[in-house]
Amino acid sequence: MSHRAFISLGSNIDPARHLPAAVRELSLLGEISRVSQAWCSSPVGDPDQADFCNAAVLLITEHSMEELLGAVGLLRGIESRLGRVRDPANKNAPRTIDLDLSLFDEFAGEVLGKRIPDPDLFKRAFVAVPLAELDADYSVPGADRALRSIAAALLETAGPIWQSDLSLDTWRSA
């Protein structure tokens, strides 16, 4: 059975290399249906670091949420291969790549300790805007609002984000 997995990506350590590399790795887990543009913003929680670039991928996959999210799951495996180091003392530390399952089919609830839809979708423009590029009319389960509406509201009130000239299309040719 195919699933629609909306995956949010973030990087502030060489994002021009790590974001396309993450998309390439995700393409091994299924079919990449859409890829957003890259959006950048100031770091949250730990301001003494480089700005973050964020994007999103709509992945059509046979994998379950549990397979994607597990502690040794597929998303964590990609993060590890791309040099992600987790700092237990600073969850907002710089990173080569961060992959979050933000939405999955029409699921709303908790799986393996992770809330889906990702609560950051409702608080952070740098999460909502790339997701809205993937499917603006997607009605977020449990919120009964389209991604377009959530992103527009956050852009009016959240800190600034700006479109990057970083192209994620390079993943296709590598």
Side-chain angles (χ1 to χ4, degrees), residues 25 70-82:
E25 290 274 338
V72 291
L74 297 168
L75 297 182
R76 286 276 179 107
I78 293 170
E79 290 177 340
S80 293
R81 285 190 296 282
L82 295 179

Side-chain angles (χ1 to χ4, degrees), residues 42-116:
S42 300
V44 173
D46 184 358
D48 296 327
Q49 59 183 310
D51 291 338
F52 273 87
C53 286
N54 298 275
V57 168
L58 177 52
L59 177 70
I60 308 303
T61 184
E62 301 293 321
H63 294 288
S64 69
M65 286 185 289
E66 293 81 4
E67 290 171 319
L68 294 171
L69 288 173
V72 291
L74 297 168
L75 297 182
R76 286 276 179 107
I78 293 170
E79 290 177 340
S80 293
R81 285 190 296 282
L82 295 179
R84 168 80 188 262
V85 176
R86 292 183 183 276
D87 180 353
N90 182 4
K91 73 176 192 147
N92 296 311
R95 59 202 71 162
T96 57
I97 196 70
D98 184 27
L99 299 174
D100 291 311
L101 183 62
S102 293
L103 298 160
F104 192 87
D105 291 335
E106 304 303 319
F107 180 82
E110 189 169 314
V111 61
L112 299 177
K114 166 89 170 134
R115 296 270 326 138
I116 307 286

